[in-house]
Amino acid sequence: MYICEIRFLKSLGKEILDCSDQRVWQDRYPFIQRASLFSSSESYGGEKEYDYIVVGGGTAGCPLAATLSQNYSVLLLERGGVPFANINVSFLSNFHITLADTSASSASQFFVSTDGVFNARARVLGGGTSINAGFYTRASTRYVKKAGWDAKLVNESYPWVEKQIVHEPIFEPWQRVVRDSLVEVGIAPNNGFTYDHLYGTKVGGTIFDKYGRRHTAAELLASANAENLDVLIHARVQKIIFDTTGLKPRAVGVHFKDENGAQHVAHISKRRRSEVIVACGAIGSPQLLLLSGIGPKADLEKLNISVVHDNKFVGKHMSDNPLNSIFVPFNRPVNQSLIETVGITKKGVYIEASSGFSQSPDSIHCHHGVASAEIGQLSTIPPKRRTQEAIEAFKRNKKDLPHEAFHGGFILEKIAYPKSKGQLVLNNTNVDDNPIVTFNYFSHPKDLRQCVKGIRIVKKLLRSKPFLNFTKGNKQTVEKLLNMSITANINMIPRHTNDTKSLKQFCKDTVISIWHYHGGCHVGHVVNKDYEVIGVHRLRVIDGSTFHESPGTNPQATVMMLGRYMGVKILRDRLGRSAGL
């Protein structure tokens, strides 16, 4: 069901969005309201309490809340707005514009790691599914087994997501060429269209439908029991509230601010199994635990945060899968496509592709993330000088980029399981400010060796017959494309004269992010196997911050699956067969 009517005007040859009825999404999701309308008092008197408070209405939080609401009362708190009537979020053609928007109301919150890599985190209901490239693919059976998950429940939870929001891609010509080239250079077999993680080349699912309309995790809320669910948007949770009078601290509720800055408190029920569940993502979840007093004691005391539980692992061992891209210019416009094809190699790297973004004259001078020919980095500027003013000045200096440079595609090479680890620490006690994040890209030598292997695969791909037939190039243009990619991945890292001769240097100089960062609340260190926070009662973390490795080629499918999986598991553990799931 579309929230705003989509009309295709053949005479104009483009889609437009008719939002004459802005209230359609409110009719479908009557339980969503602005945080300022929250009242903790029941109409008959007394404070309203919830069986579960889920903090973070993102990729995991939406399916989790929808599932828990089948049997219990749930309050879902999301710091951003809704994706439904936002055309920059809703359409594939506008994918890059949300990433370019660095305003306080944007669905994407811009941040720069201390490594100097531009990055983004979601600030909207639906989380990363509202701003990402849409590719949907499951984790491998090896990953599921290693995580200790119940394979039967996993295989029930993925389809629950897929039936509601996942589609088969249109499969644009550029994606077809990349697929054929991957198979020719040995990334075989051709596994066709599949959600499964299989060695070889495949076409995966997408959360964009045939009209280019995005379907986010927020739409999974349509499966909720509306009578048991309250969803507050623009609800910025400041900290978790604990009762510290017992042997162990016990979560009892949360403090949050509404869109006007007014303070509110929400409490969970006093019933034994009521819980606060944090699902704020790999940046937001460790940040909220730290702000709430769970983390390294010395770090908390520096910011005058009362220590609830001393845990040295909160925010530690963060990882991001380093990405390097080769820009391939065309002498003609190309249809826009995000990730559709992927080569799953046995060398620890994945090969993907995108095409046709940032071609409009009014947008080519903005930062658009992974699909942009102006991907920026700031590693030569000391961290304390990486101000918003410095970033804006850097963007202004890109005005001489030719419009034709955007007629092309990208071949993306990503490290599957990086060994390099970083950390997250608080910048201050303001939850709205980004914490200080370091990923230490390529600090482990194995990551660099794998990147070199991946670039060598890409070089073979560029010389393959399907590729040369499409681009009308020749085998001698490979070095030129590498040199062009050094420029296309615009950053402030000094260029080296041996960038194309030394693939190691090429990897280090052109590293970017595809937003698959994870860790900071690892299973076994911060949470147990049931995702309960170690050292306290009635608190869990359920999202990508608990992952030791990023699942599959792209994690969103597994993060949504995990929300559904843990919702069902919690209900079954609590109710047994009477859960009805």
Side-chain angles (χ1 to χ4, degrees), residues 37 39 59 63 80 166 173 185 202 256 307 379 393 479 488 494 505 520 532 539:
L37 299 178
S39 173
T59 310
V166 187
V185 302
K202 60 170 275 188
F256 68 93
V307 179
S379 69
E479 298 305 319
Q505 195 65 57
E532 297 165 327
L539 180 64

Side-chain angles (χ1 to χ4, degrees), residues 216-403:
T216 76
E219 294 184 32
L220 299 176
L221 293 172
S223 296
N225 179 346
E227 294 182 357
N228 280 346
L229 179 63
D230 289 334
V231 178
L232 300 183
I233 54 175
H234 305 296
R236 295 165 292 145
V237 174
Q238 308 297 298
K239 66 177 182 178
I240 302 160
I241 305 168
F242 292 95
D243 177 353
T244 58
T245 58
L247 294 177
K248 275 187 180 182
R250 176 171 57 91
V252 295
V254 297
H255 279 291
F256 68 93
K257 287 184 180 180
D258 64 27
E259 69 274 15
N260 301 318
Q263 294 271 5
H264 301 268
V265 175
H267 287 102
I268 56 173
S269 167
K270 295 178 177 61
R271 287 195 283 183
R272 187 169 61 89
R273 292 197 176 184
S274 297
E275 293 177 322
V276 173
I277 304 177
V278 178
C280 301
I283 303 297
S285 288
Q287 180 187 24
L288 183 59
L289 289 191
L290 291 168
L291 289 171
S292 303
I294 299 176
K297 181 179 180 180
D299 293 349
L300 299 177
E301 290 178 340
K302 286 178 184 177
L303 292 173
N304 295 318
I305 297 173
S306 299
V307 179
V308 173
H309 178 66
D310 180 13
N311 186 327
K312 65 180 180 181
F313 295 110
V314 177
K316 307 306 180 186
H317 307 299
M318 297 279 292
S319 295
D320 189 16
N321 300 71
L323 182 82
N324 296 85
S325 65
I326 305 297
F327 179 56
V328 183
F330 304 146
N331 58 7
R332 61 195 183 282
V334 62
N335 291 340
Q336 292 179 329
S337 69
L338 288 170
I339 313 301
E340 297 175 4
T341 302
V342 60
I344 301 175
T345 76
K346 294 183 178 181
K347 297 183 181 293
V349 297
Y350 302 132
I351 309 296
E352 301 176 343
S354 67
S355 63
F357 281 85
S358 312
Q359 294 187 36
S360 62
D362 61 344
S363 70
I364 64 172
H365 298 139
C366 299
H367 160 63
H368 302 141
V370 69
S372 171
E374 320 95 311
I375 295 165
Q377 299 165 339
L378 298 170
S379 69
T380 59
I381 297 180
K384 291 183 179 180
R385 291 171 51 197
R386 290 174 192 159
T387 62
Q388 191 64 39
E389 290 76 16
I391 293 166
E392 292 301 322
F394 173 59
K395 288 160 62 177
R396 286 195 298 271
N397 292 333
K398 299 183 291 183
K399 293 181 179 179
D400 59 347
L401 285 173
H403 183 266

Side-chain angles (χ1 to χ4, degrees), residues 80-296:
V82 296
F84 307 122
N86 185 334
I87 61 173
N88 290 342
V89 167
S90 296
F91 289 103
L92 182 149
S93 57
N94 294 338
F95 160 74
H96 56 299
I97 298 176
T98 292
L99 297 172
D101 181 3
T102 58
S103 69
S105 61
S106 173
S108 171
Q109 183 174 1
F110 171 83
F111 76 96
V112 185
S113 69
T114 63
D115 314 277
V117 177
F118 279 13
N119 222 314
R121 50 190 293 216
R123 184 169 49 198
V124 60
L125 193 67
T129 65
S130 297
I131 67 170
N132 66 15
F135 192 62
Y136 183 97
T137 180
R138 297 180 179 186
S140 66
T141 54
R142 179 200 69 87
Y143 189 99
V144 171
K145 184 176 181 179
K146 189 174 181 179
W149 293 334
D150 178 340
K152 183 176 183 295
L153 182 53
V154 166
N155 291 327
E156 293 170 354
S157 299
Y158 276 122
W160 182 86
V161 174
E162 291 154 6
K163 290 174 183 177
Q164 298 183 73
I165 65 170
V166 187
H167 305 266
E168 184 172 351
I170 293 175
F171 204 42
E172 297 292 351
W174 167 244
Q175 299 287 336
R176 194 177 304 275
V177 169
V178 173
R179 178 202 63 186
D180 294 345
S181 299
L182 284 167
V183 174
E184 182 174 288
V185 302
I187 313 302
N190 177 1
N191 291 306
F193 171 72
T194 179
Y195 296 143
D196 293 335
H197 186 93
L198 304 171
Y199 285 116
T201 297
K202 60 170 275 188
V203 176
T206 178
I207 57 174
F208 291 100
D209 63 24
K210 63 182 180 180
Y211 301 105
R213 173 81 190 207
R214 183 191 293 271
H215 296 269
T216 76
E219 294 184 32
L220 299 176
L221 293 172
S223 296
N225 179 346
E227 294 182 357
N228 280 346
L229 179 63
D230 289 334
V231 178
L232 300 183
I233 54 175
H234 305 296
R236 295 165 292 145
V237 174
Q238 308 297 298
K239 66 177 182 178
I240 302 160
I241 305 168
F242 292 95
D243 177 353
T244 58
T245 58
L247 294 177
K248 275 187 180 182
R250 176 171 57 91
V252 295
V254 297
H255 279 291
F256 68 93
K257 287 184 180 180
D258 64 27
E259 69 274 15
N260 301 318
Q263 294 271 5
H264 301 268
V265 175
H267 287 102
I268 56 173
S269 167
K270 295 178 177 61
R271 287 195 283 183
R272 187 169 61 89
R273 292 197 176 184
S274 297
E275 293 177 322
V276 173
I277 304 177
V278 178
C280 301
I283 303 297
S285 288
Q287 180 187 24
L288 183 59
L289 289 191
L290 291 168
L291 289 171
S292 303
I294 299 176

Side-chain angles (χ1 to χ4, degrees), residues 538-559:
R538 296 196 178 194
L539 180 64
R540 300 191 201 226
V541 177
I542 300 175
D543 58 25
S545 70
T546 65
F547 295 162
H548 290 269
E549 298 174 340
S550 184
T553 64
N554 300 67
Q556 74 164 346
T558 302
V559 178

